Amino acid sequence: MNPSILFEEFPKIARYSREVVVTEKLDGTNGQVYVNDTMTEVFAGSRSQWIKSDGDNFGFARWVTEHRDELLKLGPGRHFGEWWGAGIQRRYDLKEKRFSLFNTHRWSDASTRPACCGVVPILWQGPFDQLNVDDILGKLKEGGSVAAPGFMKPEGIVIFHTAAQWLLKKTIEKDEAPKGDNRESR
């Protein structure tokens, strides 16, 4: 036995036929609100770094600062969501920006979350083996955005497998192209 080699345990395998939650994929920019353990500080983050008002992410850091007292109601920890609306990506024909939390299990009930926060809309929930992605995408494409009713160019869906704790996304347009790739798919 070589003690210099660290043992790595094989991870448990999640069951296939467990619940998934399918939400509308909003086309904005990723945001993170962090509340420290003593609930005395609130920080704003983008997908990759902490941000401040001087290096803001479409006004997200400024919004977090302005809503600090209300955001403390989220409780200690990291709270991820999408900062979307006016001036960001698809814009959704909105005159304002919105922050929608990703954790639908925790935040779906409006009475449990700060009034300044929304939550991504759940489009379908059930066993993974009964998931019909084409049907959900078809309804979204035909009916338009659930998050911004009347907006007819929604981006797609996010699938969260609860047992495996993993996320998948599928977009309505150019799903086969890597993000940032503007070339036509071959």
Side-chain angles (χ1 to χ4, degrees), residues 16-136:
Y16 179 83
S17 299
R18 293 299 188 258
E19 182 181 65
V20 295
V21 179
V22 180
T23 59
E24 181 175 350
K25 183 179 184 323
L26 300 175
D27 191 13
T29 186
N30 186 272
Q32 175 183 168
V33 174
Y34 177 79
V35 179
N36 71 347
D37 289 340
T38 58
M39 296 198 34
T40 55
E41 294 184 284
V42 177
F43 299 94
S46 67
R47 177 181 305 280
S48 59
Q49 63 187 339
W50 296 116
I51 55 175
K52 295 182 179 178
S53 296
D54 59 347
D56 211 342
N57 189 18
F58 294 97
F60 184 64
R62 183 174 49 257
W63 179 86
V64 169
T65 300
E66 291 168 0
H67 292 86
R68 177 196 177 279
D69 292 343
E70 196 171 356
L71 291 169
L72 284 170
K73 296 176 188 173
L74 291 169
R78 298 174 190 281
H79 307 281
F80 294 95
E82 195 76 0
W83 180 239
W84 61 288
I88 307 171
Q89 307 293 18
R90 289 175 196 259
R91 297 175 166 77
Y92 291 84
D93 298 332
L94 296 174
K95 296 189 183 325
E96 76 283 349
K97 293 177 177 82
R98 300 176 181 176
F99 184 60
S100 295
L101 295 159
F102 293 148
N103 187 339
T104 60
H105 178 73
R106 184 169 181 188
W107 302 115
S108 285
D109 181 354
S111 68
T112 65
R113 67 178 182 266
C116 62
C117 298
V119 66
V120 292
I122 296 174
L123 304 178
W124 188 85
Q125 193 167 348
F128 187 59
D129 57 354
Q130 294 178 18
L131 175 62
N132 185 332
V133 170
D134 292 335
D135 183 52
I136 297 167

Side-chain angles (χ1 to χ4, degrees), residues 128-180:
F128 187 59
D129 57 354
Q130 294 178 18
L131 175 62
N132 185 332
V133 170
D134 292 335
D135 183 52
I136 297 167
L137 279 174
K139 287 177 183 172
L140 188 62
K141 185 176 180 179
E142 183 178 306
S145 172
V146 175
F151 183 75
M152 297 308 295
K153 294 235 357 137
E155 185 179 13
I157 61 173
V158 173
I159 303 160
F160 176 65
H161 191 285
T162 59
Q165 296 285 299
W166 46 256
L167 296 161
L168 300 167
K169 68 180 175 181
K170 183 140 178 82
T171 56
I172 293 172
E173 297 175 352
K174 299 181 181 178
D175 186 62
E176 59 285 337
K179 186 171 182 161

